[in-house]
Amino acid sequence: MNFGTLAYGCWRFAGNSMEEADRLIRTALDAGITLIDTADIYGFGEPRGFGGAEVVLGEVLAADPSLRERMVLTTKGGIIPPRPYDSSHDYLMGALDASLDRLGVDQVDLYQIHRPDLTTPMRDLAQTLDAMVASEKVGAVGVSNFTPAQTRALAAHMSAPIATLQPEFSVLHQDPITDGTLDLAQEIGATVLAWSPLGGGKLFTEDGPVQRSVAKIGRETGYSATQIALAFARGHGAVVVPIIGTQTPERIIESANKATLTARQFYDIVEAYRGEAMP
Ligand SMILES: NC(=O)c1ccc[n+]([C@@H]2O[C@H](COP(=O)([O-])OP(=O)(O)OC[C@H]3O[C@@H](n4cnc5c(N)ncnc54)[C@H](OP(=O)(O)O)[C@@H]3O)[C@@H](O)[C@H]2O)c1
């Protein structure tokens, strides 16, 4: 499956009117972004509540069904407060149907387990994910916030491939480089969907060595901090697709205008994060 080079995420999306949501989705698609990432939990704690982001995306799709054909649509399930996580077969099968219902679609291209449920055996989760693929309600499956060991344990029991890993990964959160996540993705041929690739906005609201390193590269290259941070995520040898979450159409367009970094600039950001030169 082709996930493109940049994705648009709906975590901050549930507060939009249908018209605002339509503008954001259309801006993303027109800018060449195809992967739209949402989750059933997005909207929880806000006026629309659990499922809210899927509901508003469903309204956008209902108003113009041709948009569905232009996107690679993915949602996530498995977080259910206050339990807080449930990866049991009956729960996830019901959660998938509820997501499809809210989105108003027969199928999502990718379904991801949002967080690992420590109480569900990986063998059982593997059977559930295989059953989802066999049902043709999902095109592919993936996991989010799993440790590499959890992903490997799951993969050992699955027939379908694990198509995506979705960790937090950015200039400000580089753990996936060292915790094995980006290496495992290459081992099993999974695409990495990097969440909060601008540090959830901390790239702009906080100051530190990483922000200063990004600013310096910006002065050298003329690229914006956003473009440099997205290029950093894609600069690793793994296949990484950053998922941006801005609610500003102009920033979606800015993000879609790609920068490329030299290897030296990539390592400058790694060294700024580590506080020391590479050995
Ligand atoms: N799997 C998971 O557990 C998980 C967790 C979190 C997120 N995600 C996914 O990742 C997606 C992206 O997450 P995210 O929204 O945290 O990503 P992000 O793109 O790193 O951060 C977006 C935030 O940065 C702000 N921002 C962007 N450009 C800015 C600028 N030039 N100046 C100041 N602020 C700026 C945005 O504000 P404006 O809206 O004002 O532009 C927004 O608040 C989510 O939608 C979701 O799909 C997944």
Side-chain angles (χ1 to χ4, degrees):
M1 194 174 301
N2 185 354
F3 297 111
T5 55
L6 183 67
Y8 184 64
C10 299
W11 178 31
R12 303 173 193 271
F13 192 73
N16 288 303
S17 67
M18 200 278 259
E19 291 72 23
E20 290 165 336
D22 182 84
R23 182 154 175 244
L24 290 165
I25 294 296
R26 251 175 233 282
T27 302
L29 295 174
D30 290 347
I33 294 170
T34 51
L35 182 61
I36 306 294
D37 177 81
T38 190
D40 56 12
I41 190 74
Y42 295 166
F44 180 79
E46 300 170 46
R48 275 205 174 90
F50 186 99
E54 291 180 333
V55 167
V56 72
L57 182 55
E59 289 171 4
V60 170
L61 291 171
D64 183 355
S66 73
L67 294 176
R68 173 69 185 94
E69 291 148 35
R70 296 176 60 193
M71 65 176 64
V72 174
L73 178 59
T74 177
T75 193
K76 302 186 280 297
I79 300 182
I80 178 78
R83 179 176 156 140
Y85 313 129
D86 194 343
S87 282
S88 64
H89 177 89
D90 289 354
Y91 173 75
L92 283 179
M93 287 309 212
L96 170 60
D97 283 343
S99 286
L100 295 176
D101 199 40
R102 284 187 289 265
L103 291 163
V105 298
D106 297 329
Q107 197 229 29
V108 285
D109 299 296
L110 173 70
Y111 191 80
Q112 297 165 97
I113 303 305
H114 208 152
R115 286 192 179 270
D117 172 17
L118 305 179
T119 71
T120 298
M122 290 298 182
R123 182 188 296 275
D124 295 359
L125 176 57
Q127 284 173 357
T128 302
L129 293 174
D130 280 334
M132 284 184 175
V133 174
S135 76
E136 297 187 359
K137 293 177 183 174
V138 313
V141 290
V143 294
S144 184
N145 304 304
F146 276 44
T147 67
Q150 288 168 333
T151 303
R152 200 174 275 121
L154 177 64
H157 297 288
M158 285 190 58
S159 302
I162 296 176
T164 57
L165 311 182
Q166 188 176 140
E168 180 177 10
F169 177 48
S170 71
V171 289
L172 293 167
H173 188 91
Q174 299 186 18
D175 290 3
I177 292 177
T178 48
D179 71 8
T181 302
L182 300 187
D183 307 312
L184 179 63
Q186 296 181 79
E187 180 183 324
I188 65 174
T191 296
V192 176
L193 306 180
W195 65 258
S196 292
L198 309 178
K202 288 198 294 256
L203 185 59
F204 313 99
T205 57
E206 294 180 8
D207 190 25
V210 170
Q211 284 89 342
R212 288 195 283 277
S213 174
V214 169
K216 179 168 174 285
I217 296 168
R219 287 192 295 277
E220 287 164 12
T221 61
Y223 292 123
S224 70
T226 292
Q227 291 161 341
I228 292 163
L230 298 176
F232 173 83
R234 283 190 290 255
H236 192 276
V239 178
V240 179
V241 179
I243 315 173
I244 54 166
T246 179
Q247 300 302 299
T248 309
E250 294 70 27
R251 288 181 180 161
I252 295 177
I253 294 166
E254 175 193 351
S255 302
N257 285 324
K258 284 190 198 68
T260 47
L261 299 182
T262 64
R264 186 55 254 169
Q265 289 162 340
F266 178 89
Y267 280 113
D268 282 345
I269 295 172
V270 173
E271 290 177 350
Y273 180 82
R274 296 182 183 188
E276 59 185 6
M278 301 303 285

